[in-house]
Amino acid sequence: MNNPFSLEGKNAWVTGAAYGIGFAIAKAFAEAGAANIIINTSNEESLRKGLDAYAEAGIKNVHGYVCNVTDEVAVKETVEKIHAEVGQIDILVNNAGIIKRIPMHEMTRAEFQQVIDVDLVGPYICAAAVVPEMMERREGKIINICSMMSELGRETVSAYAAAKGGLKMLTRNICSEYGEYNIQCNAIGPGYIATPQTAPLREKQPDGSRHPFDSFICAKTPAGRWLDPDELGGPAVFLASHASDAVNGHILYVDGGILAYIGKQPK
Ligand code: NAP
Ligand code: GCO
């Protein structure tokens, strides 16, 4: 019996995968046998550093493109380049994302819109660009990277929570609209992961003490720690593989149990 978790022969496009969660997911895909890894970033420097990081990790067959996921024309052009230079896109991971931590009443419309554009409109643009080929082949995997903020709010992240909540429903709608073509669209909802995006929340205070948010998150996570990006690799391989062909429209929270836990009582 073939290994249902294998990605042998598959081409996977992970958006925004120069580092962070995207890099960890792409690495796991390569380790699961993916034939080609495709990444994009918003600028040349990030792409160059990202491709160097893959090479240093010994990951081969990585193809990189500079492409802003909010630019529909650029995304369509990039998909055409991928088809010409790499081949079909079997798996799309909508990972690229930003956050702006600003109180809602102090946030400008432009700032709010920028987060919505990258975190919600971008995944729509990329999914819409790859679905036609998946429909023709009657096979495809789309994985959106949601968030705890797809379920919970907190101060200063209104735009991010609105985008990630919308991304949860976009995931369910892609499932609903394209399931008949054997396209599965699911999401991963990471908990709090130690990446550049959350680095400000873990910075030591001027007096050398822990950042209050660092202590807060560790109290909210049963294991009492931040999660590592590599801990998302297995769940991502599952959702990208035939092992999950009967899973559709699901948000898989990889949060260490935050959503199940009221939080550790302060001493
Ligand atoms: P990160 O370290 O800030 O990396 C974000 C990635 O997205 C970078 O590669 C960045 O590339 C790319 N990107 C940003 N805007 C882009 C655009 N317009 N076009 C193309 N690429 C763009 O973030 P992360 O922590 O790895 O998070 C990755 C995803 O997981 C995001 O969607 C985030 O919301 C989500 N998430 C993170 C956590 C966490 O705790 N870290 C938890 C839940 C969900 P450039 O170098 O070009 O900027
Ligand atoms: C924040 C964090 C979170 C994480 C993640 C949690 O400011 O609360 O950045 O939003 O990035 O989305 O799942």
Side-chain angles (χ1 to χ4, degrees):
M1 177 185 169
N2 292 333
N3 173 9
F5 295 92
S6 169
L7 300 183
E8 292 289 341
K10 301 293 186 184
N11 295 333
W13 178 20
V14 185
T15 68
Y19 48 89
I21 287 172
F23 182 90
I25 288 175
K27 177 157 65 81
F29 285 0
E31 290 164 354
N36 290 288
I37 298 293
I38 302 142
I39 70 168
N40 68 292
T41 64
S42 63
N43 63 82
E44 284 287 357
E45 184 187 2
S46 181
L47 181 62
R48 181 181 52 76
K49 288 181 179 175
L51 292 174
D52 288 348
Y54 283 98
E56 282 164 29
I59 299 168
K60 302 186 184 334
N61 300 331
V62 181
H63 311 264
Y65 299 87
V66 175
C67 174
N68 186 324
V69 294
T70 66
D71 181 339
E72 187 176 10
V73 172
V75 167
K76 287 179 176 176
E77 287 173 351
T78 300
V79 168
E80 291 311 312
K81 286 179 191 170
I82 293 168
H83 288 159
E85 298 165 5
V86 184
Q88 68 190 43
I89 299 169
D90 299 294
I91 302 156
L92 167 66
V93 179
N94 277 314
N95 167 78
I98 62 171
I99 192 168
K100 289 185 184 298
R101 300 184 182 96
I102 306 168
M104 186 184 70
H105 67 287
E106 295 173 7
M107 200 173 207
T108 66
R109 189 198 188 288
E111 288 167 329
F112 191 97
Q113 190 66 55
Q114 187 185 359
V115 176
I116 296 290
D117 285 347
V118 178
D119 295 6
L120 179 57
V121 179
Y124 143 70
I125 289 173
C126 294
V130 304
V131 155
E133 70 173 278
M134 293 180 173
M135 289 168 74
E136 277 181 35
R137 286 198 305 276
R138 302 193 72 81
E139 185 174 0
K141 295 283 187 180
I142 297 173
I143 303 169
N144 295 322
I145 306 299
C146 283
S147 160
M148 302 308 300
M149 275 60 215
S150 297
E151 300 294 343
L152 303 171
R154 83 175 186 85
E155 301 80 2
T156 76
V157 296
S158 59
Y160 184 83
K164 293 298 188 179
L167 188 57
K168 173 173 75 171
M169 283 314 303
L170 179 63
T171 301
R172 290 175 174 160
N173 212 78
I174 294 171
C175 149
S176 305
E177 193 164 7
Y178 298 101
E180 69 177 284
Y181 297 96
N182 188 33
I183 296 169
Q184 291 84 46
C185 181
N186 294 288
I188 288 175
Y192 280 80
I193 318 294
T195 71
Q197 191 242 52
T198 55
L201 304 175
R202 289 176 277 110
E203 275 172 4
K204 289 284 185 207
Q205 301 299 283
D207 65 1
S209 63
R210 287 174 70 181
H211 192 296
F213 198 88
D214 177 7
S215 306
F216 169 67
I217 285 305
C218 289
K220 290 288 285 181
T221 307
R225 64 178 176 85
W226 288 75
L227 303 183
D228 185 281
D230 286 342
E231 294 181 280
L232 297 171
V237 167
F238 165 63
L239 291 178
S241 71
H242 288 302
S244 63
D245 284 353
V247 179
N248 210 352
H250 185 70
I251 317 299
L252 178 56
Y253 285 99
V254 185
D255 66 352
I258 293 179
L259 284 174
Y261 186 35
I262 195 170
K264 191 174 294 300
Q265 179 181 343
K267 287 189 175 65

